[in-house]
Structures are given as structure tokens and as C-alpha cells.
């Protein structure tokens, strides 16, 4: 299946529960997300949606598919998106109803019924909200909202795990899977066996990486963390990332050996067993490729 062929497969009704975090990573509350996707022409869909949470809006917009790009044509959402694979889209857009720009990725899991997403909403370059989404395709009766964590903003806003009791991305164990490697034109050129081995020790997390697309030599990094952010010392791989409730992250990492930079974004399902990863590789400001796909978790 080509990147474009996944376009029409999104048609239908989707519903789920999102987690909304402040720009500092504090839990602000859940949001209910409802979307109805209808194909109105061969290369055009209409999305009717409503979101109710710490912020709210509703309306519709159209998306035109141009094979290697997609145009968000308003009225409530305008912008530009790229399908990285048949199940993954990456976009930059603007929501006029709340006056915020959005960096966004959405991935459909292999079951075809679950979407994971990460929206980073900014005004200018100031991050206002991060929204971790998990939607289900509604085929028959909708059986409630999965993934809710009991609690309130009053108690959970200073809890980096958002009431789960652990940082899902920093648990001791192994993430592994086969990730697609894309070139600068986003054509798939190979697939790598990718592994992250995680060890924890107080406010330090040691992660060993192997199978990275454009820096294949295995590397171990000791990350310092306060639960809301993580940062490295000097080394062949160095940088920082922010965390949202311990189940989503975004950050820029410098790879000194090949003189490249990676924008890493990751989202874990609320059950903690599957992780969607989107790693975009850059030389300076030029994107040279990507590594994307699904990893599964094994505890140790």
C-alpha cells in the first residue's frame, strides 16, 4: 500500500479520550474527542469534530490529498500535512477557534481500529498545550471512554506520572520492533530491528539504543530526569526532551558521529504495552530521512 492509499481508510467515526498537559507538562485534565470522517470526493474528505476539555471547539474542515502531501483547507483547521506511511501522518496547521498553531502526528495501529496522536499547540513559539490522544474506531455501540485515570487536576497537576504511579517511557524493560526507514523524499528504503533497553536509578534513566536509522552504532545515554523533562550530559548522543504524563515525549537530540539532529516524538498507549515512534532526521535545517513505526514493551 502506498502512502496515499491510506487516505480513504480513515473514513468513519472515531471517538476517544485525550490527556491535556500544560506547556510545562502539568496534567490539566482529560478531553473527549469525537470525529466523523467522510469521503466527499476521490481525493477529498470532510472531518466534523468536537473537542471538550481544558479548551474546547467544534466545527469541520476539508483535507485534499495530493499523493505526497495533504492540504487542510478549513474553515476550522488550515495547514499542510505529509503522509509518512499509509498509517502515519505528520502535519503543521492552525486552529483559528483557539488561536493556536499545531504540530501534530497521528498513527493508526496495526489493528486498524486505534489511533495514537500527539498535538503540540503553541502561540508563536510558546508551547501552551500538549494533547496525548488515543481514539477508537466506532463501528457499533460505543462502550465508554478507555484510558481514564481517576483523579483531579488539583492532585495530579504536579504528578509527572499523571496518577499512573510510574513513568511509562522510563520503566525498566525493553522496547523493540521493526521500524520503517524513509529517505529524504519519504520513500521507504528499508526496515530496521530497533531496540531500546531501559534501566532506572532514582532521577537517572539509562537507555541503550540500537538500530537507529542514520546512526547505526549502538549507544547508551544516561538521562537526568525530574519526570517532566529529561536531559543528557556531553556524549556522542546528546540533547533533551519533555514528557507528558510519562506516556508521551518530544525533543531534539544531537548525534555527533554523523553530525545529525533527530526530532523524536513518541506516544505510549494507556495500557503501556505499545509505543508509536516518529523520528525525523536532519542535517542542519534539511530533513534527510525518518524512522517510524511501532515498538512493544517487555518488562525486566
Amino acid at each position: 500500500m502506498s502512502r496515499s492509499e491510506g487516505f480513504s481508510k480513515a473514513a468513519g467515526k472515531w471517538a476517544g479520550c485525550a490527556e491535556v498537559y500544560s506547556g510545562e507538562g502539568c496534567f490539566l485534565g482529560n478531553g473527549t474527542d469525537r470525529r466523523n470522517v467522510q469521503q466527499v470526493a476521490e481525493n477529498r474528505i470532510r472531518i466534523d469534530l468536537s473537542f471538550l476539555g481544558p479548551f474546547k471547539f467544534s466545527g469541520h474542515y476539508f483535507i485534499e490529498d495530493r499523493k505526497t502531501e495533504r492540504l487542510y483547507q478549513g474553515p476550522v483547521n488550515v495547514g499542510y500535512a505529509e503522509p509518512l506511511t499509509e498509517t502515519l501522518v505528520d502535519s503543521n496547521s492552525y486552529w483559528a477557534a483557539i488561536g493556536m498553531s499545531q504540530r501534530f502526528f497521528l498513527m493508526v495501529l496495526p489493528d486498524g481500529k486505534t489511533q495514537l496522536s500527539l498535538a503540540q499547540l503553541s502561540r508563536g513559539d510558546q508551547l501552551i498545550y500538549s494533547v496525548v490522544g488515543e481514539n477508537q474506531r466506532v463501528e457499533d455501540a460505543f462502550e465508554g471512554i478507555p484510558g481514564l485515570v481517576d483523579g483531579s487536576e488539583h492532585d495530579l497537576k504536579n504528578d509527572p506520572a499523571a496518577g499512573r504511579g510510574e513513568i511509562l517511557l522510563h520503566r525498566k524493560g525493553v522496547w523493540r520492533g521493526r521500524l520503517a526507514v524513509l529517505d529524504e523524499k519519504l520513500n521507504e528504503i528499508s526496515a530496521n530491528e530497533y531496540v531500546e533497553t531501559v534501566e532506572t536509578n532514582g532521577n537517572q534513566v539509562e537507555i541503550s539504543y540500537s538500530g537507529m536509522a542514520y546512526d547505526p552504532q549502538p549507544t547508551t545515554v544516561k538521562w537526568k530526569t525530574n519526570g517532566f523533562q529529561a536531559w543528557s550530559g556531553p556524549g556522542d548522543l546528546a540533547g533533551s526532551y519533555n514528557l507528558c504524563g510519562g506516556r508521551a515525549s518530544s525533543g531534539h537530540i544531537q548525534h555527533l558521529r554523523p553530525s545529525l539532529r533527530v526530532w523524536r516524538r513518541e506516544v505510549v498507549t494507556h495500557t503501556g504495552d505499545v509505543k508509536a515512534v516518529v523520528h525525523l532526521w536532519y542535517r542542519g535545517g534539511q530533513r534527510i530521512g525518518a524512522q517510524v513505526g511501532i515498538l512493544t514493551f517487555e518488562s525486566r
Side-chain angles (χ1 to χ4, degrees):
M1 182 186 293
S2 70
R3 286 183 279 153
S4 181
E5 287 179 278
F7 184 69
S8 62
K9 293 184 179 296
K13 295 182 178 180
W14 298 84
C17 177
E19 295 174 12
V20 183
Y21 297 87
S22 70
E24 294 75 30
C26 299
F27 180 76
L28 298 179
N30 288 103
T32 57
D33 191 351
R34 299 288 185 272
R35 298 170 188 263
N36 184 25
V37 183
Q38 306 172 72
Q39 188 155 2
V40 295
E42 181 179 358
N43 297 314
R44 186 174 170 86
I45 61 175
R46 169 175 169 149
I47 299 180
D48 291 86
L49 78 158
S50 64
F51 186 91
L52 182 60
F55 61 89
K56 58 187 183 297
F57 60 86
S58 64
H60 74 276
Y61 63 100
F62 295 92
I63 303 178
E64 180 180 326
D65 181 33
R66 296 186 175 179
K67 307 305 181 185
T68 60
E69 62 183 19
R70 295 175 186 173
L71 303 183
Y72 292 19
Q73 298 179 322
V76 300
N77 188 20
V78 295
Y80 177 90
E82 293 177 300
L84 304 187
T85 69
E86 70 272 13
T87 59
L88 169 62
V89 66
D90 183 53
S91 72
N92 288 269
S93 63
Y94 178 72
W95 297 95
I98 56 175
M100 293 186 190
S101 301
Q102 175 180 260
R103 297 176 298 167
F104 177 73
F105 87 79
L106 180 145
M107 184 182 293
V108 179
L109 299 189
D111 64 7
K113 300 178 180 180
T114 305
Q115 296 175 335
L116 287 179
S117 62
L118 177 62
Q120 296 169 288
L121 295 164
S122 303
R123 188 159 288 158
D125 286 329
Q126 181 181 354
L127 180 64
I128 307 296
Y129 298 113
S130 292
V131 183
V132 182
E134 185 166 347
N135 283 8
Q136 302 292 324
R137 186 186 292 274
V138 180
E139 296 177 332
D140 297 308
F142 184 57
E143 300 178 354
I145 300 174
L148 283 173
V149 177
D150 292 339
S152 70
E153 176 195 351
H154 176 75
D155 299 309
L156 299 181
K157 66 181 180 180
N158 295 318
D159 178 4
R164 291 187 174 82
E166 61 181 346
I167 303 295
L168 296 180
L169 284 167
H170 288 172
R171 290 168 296 167
K172 182 178 180 179
V174 179
W175 292 98
R176 68 173 75 246
R178 192 167 179 82
L179 301 183
V181 179
L182 314 179
D183 65 15
E184 71 278 3
K185 295 182 179 179
L186 301 180
N187 297 311
E188 184 172 343
I189 54 176
S190 65
N192 282 5
E193 293 295 332
Y194 181 88
V195 179
E196 293 178 356
T197 303
V198 184
E199 298 284 348
T200 61
N201 181 17
N203 64 350
Q204 182 170 280
V205 178
E206 183 176 291
I207 305 180
S208 297
Y209 304 89
S210 65
M212 294 180 292
Y214 292 93
D215 187 7
Q217 184 174 327
T219 303
T220 298
V221 181
K222 293 182 178 179
W223 301 98
K224 295 179 181 179
T225 181
N226 58 12
F228 295 102
Q229 300 97 26
W231 58 96
S232 77
D236 290 334
L237 189 155
S240 62
Y241 56 89
N242 67 293
L243 293 150
C244 300
R247 62 174 293 216
S249 70
S250 176
H252 292 265
I253 314 301
Q254 305 293 329
H255 287 249
L256 273 64
R257 286 187 299 256
S259 299
L260 299 175
R261 170 177 58 89
V262 181
W263 180 21
R264 297 170 58 102
R265 286 172 290 171
E266 304 181 345
V267 175
V268 179
T269 56
H270 71 270
T271 55
D273 56 342
V274 173
K275 177 167 71 169
V277 303
V278 179
H279 298 168
L280 302 181
W281 290 76
Y282 295 86
R283 176 173 289 112
Q286 179 182 5
R287 186 181 62 200
I288 65 164
Q291 188 169 27
V292 301
I294 296 294
L295 303 178
T296 57
F297 183 74
E298 305 167 10
S299 60
R300 298 178 62 190

